[in-house]
Amino acid sequence: MRWRRALVALVLVTLAASAGAALARSAGDPGRQDPVRAVSAGLRCPACQGESVADSRSPIAAAMRQVVADQLAQGRDRAEIRRWFVQRYGADVLTDPPARGVRLLLWVVPVLALLAGGYAALRTLRPVVARTGSARTGSARTGSARTGSARTGVAAPGAPDARGARRAWRAASVGVVALVASVAIVADRLDPAARPAPADPVAVALQLAHDLETQDRYDAAAQMYQEALRDRPDDGVRLRLAFALLRSGDGAAAQRTARDVLAREPDSPDGLLVLGLAQRNSRSVEADDTLRRFLAVAPAHPAAAEVRRLLATRPEPGRR
C-alpha cells in the first residue's frame, strides 16, 4: 500500500507544480499587457519557418500584426480575429490548428485509456480492499479460521488471488502506456496530411494587399505586392502592384512597373491603362496616345468609358 500512497502523492505534487507554473506564466505573460502580441502569437508567419506573427520580422508578419491591431481597435475579440484569418488563409495559419485525422487519436486514446483503467482498478482492487477490511473486523471465529488458513498456506474458498489481481493490473497499465506511445509514434506516418503546414506566403501577401486596398492603404498594399513578386514573378501581380503604386501617388514607379509588363506583352490592356494614367498624372505628352492605344486594344474594357471621358475633356496635342 505504501507504493500506492507514494504514487498518489507524487501525482498531486506534480499537478500542484504544473498549476503554479501556469499561474506564474500567466502573471508574467507580456501578451496580457499587449493584446496585439497576444493574438499574433497564435498566428503562424507564412514567410518564416516555425515563427509566429508576434516574433517574425518579415513584412508579411508586420502587415498581419497591423490587421490584428486594426481589428482590435474595431472591438473584435481574439476568437473573431482568429476566425477572420482562418476564413482567408485556412486553419494552418494558426500555430495550434485543431486536431484532425489520426492525430485525433492522440487525444482520444489517453482519455479512453484513463476511463478503462479507472474502471479496471475499481473492479480489480475493491475486492482486495473489502477482504482486507472484513479480515480486520470479522468475528473471532472467522479470524481464527483465516489465521489457520494463512498458517497452512491455503487460501479461503472462492477468494480471488490478490497477488494475481495486482499482477494483472500492472500488466494492463503497461499495455495502456504502450498503446498510447505507439499511437504517438505512428501518427505522423499514418496521417502525413495532418501535419500543420504554413500557409502559402504569396497567397497571404496577395490577400493582405487586397484587404489593404479596400482600406485605401495603397502604400502598404504595394509593399505586399512586392513581397509576393519576390516569390512569384508574375505579370498579373506586377499589374496589381502598378495600380497600387499609381493610387499611392508614386507615378514614376507605376510607369516603370507597367513598362516592364509591356516589354513582354505590348498589347496588355491593363499595362497600357496604368501607363497612360500614370503619364497623364505626370502631364506627359505621351499620355493620350497611350490611352488611345488602350481603347484600340480593349474597347470593351470596364474602364474604357471613363478613359473616353478623360480624353474628351482634354484637347489633343496641337489643338486649342
Side-chain angles (χ1 to χ4, degrees):
M1 297 296 293
R2 290 182 178 178
W3 66 271
R4 292 179 188 165
R5 295 176 182 174
L7 180 60
V8 171
L10 179 61
V11 171
L12 292 176
V13 170
T14 303
L15 291 176
S18 300
L23 289 174
R25 286 195 300 269
S26 300
D29 187 3
R32 290 186 174 270
Q33 288 76 34
D34 185 357
V36 175
R37 180 174 178 81
V39 177
S40 301
L43 301 174
R44 190 189 309 274
C45 176
C48 308
Q49 185 67 30
E51 278 191 302
S52 70
V53 170
D55 298 326
S56 174
R57 297 183 179 179
S58 72
I60 292 180
M64 293 174 73
R65 287 194 296 271
Q66 185 59 51
V67 170
V68 171
D70 293 342
Q71 296 203 16
L72 286 172
Q74 295 169 9
R76 294 187 178 183
D77 59 23
R78 181 174 183 270
E80 290 175 326
I81 297 173
R82 284 166 63 90
R83 282 197 298 270
W84 187 91
F85 278 98
V86 169
Q87 289 172 357
R88 282 161 174 75
Y89 314 122
D92 290 336
V93 76
L94 302 177
T95 57
D96 53 345
R100 60 182 185 267
V102 178
R103 284 182 176 271
L104 200 58
L105 291 176
L106 295 177
W107 297 91
V108 175
V109 168
V111 173
L112 294 179
L114 288 175
L115 292 176
Y119 178 75
L122 288 176
R123 293 296 302 272
T124 303
L125 300 179
R126 185 160 54 180
V128 177
V129 175
R131 288 197 306 275
T132 304
S134 63
R136 292 177 178 176
T137 60
S139 63
R141 186 176 59 185
T142 304
S144 301
R146 290 182 179 272
T147 303
S149 299
R151 290 176 180 176
T152 57
V154 179
D161 186 0
R163 293 182 179 178
R166 292 193 186 96
R167 285 196 295 268
W169 167 243
R170 292 171 185 171
S173 301
V174 173
V176 169
V177 173
L179 175 61
V180 175
S182 300
V183 172
I185 292 173
V186 304
D188 286 342
R189 298 179 182 178
L190 292 178
D191 193 14
R195 300 173 185 171
D200 179 11
V202 175
V204 173
L206 293 176
Q207 183 63 53
L208 283 172
H210 174 73
D211 293 334
L212 290 167
E213 284 185 304
T214 60
Q215 302 170 22
D216 296 334
R217 297 169 58 185
Y218 298 111
D219 287 331
Q223 187 178 15
M224 287 298 98
Y225 285 130
Q226 290 169 345
E227 285 295 314
L229 276 175
R230 290 192 179 96
D231 294 328
R232 185 184 298 171
D234 179 76
D235 281 345
V237 179
R238 286 191 180 89
L239 288 171
R240 294 172 70 174
L241 169 62
F243 277 110
L245 291 169
L246 179 62
R247 290 167 179 164
S248 69
D250 193 350
Q255 288 190 53
R256 289 194 300 270
T257 306
R259 291 184 186 280
D260 188 13
V261 174
L262 291 170
R264 287 180 293 275
E265 188 179 352
D267 292 332
S268 169
D270 288 332
L272 292 169
L273 175 61
V274 70
L275 176 61
L277 293 176
Q279 290 172 338
R280 185 181 177 86
N281 287 347
S282 63
R283 302 182 182 277
S284 171
V285 295
E286 301 175 349
D288 288 355
D289 290 338
T290 303
L291 291 176
R292 290 192 188 92
R293 185 179 169 195
F294 159 74
L295 291 174
V297 170
H301 193 281
E306 182 64 20
V307 170
R308 293 189 183 97
R309 187 189 67 80
L310 288 175
L311 291 175
T313 59
R314 179 174 177 176
E316 297 181 7
R319 293 186 181 182
R320 295 188 181 273

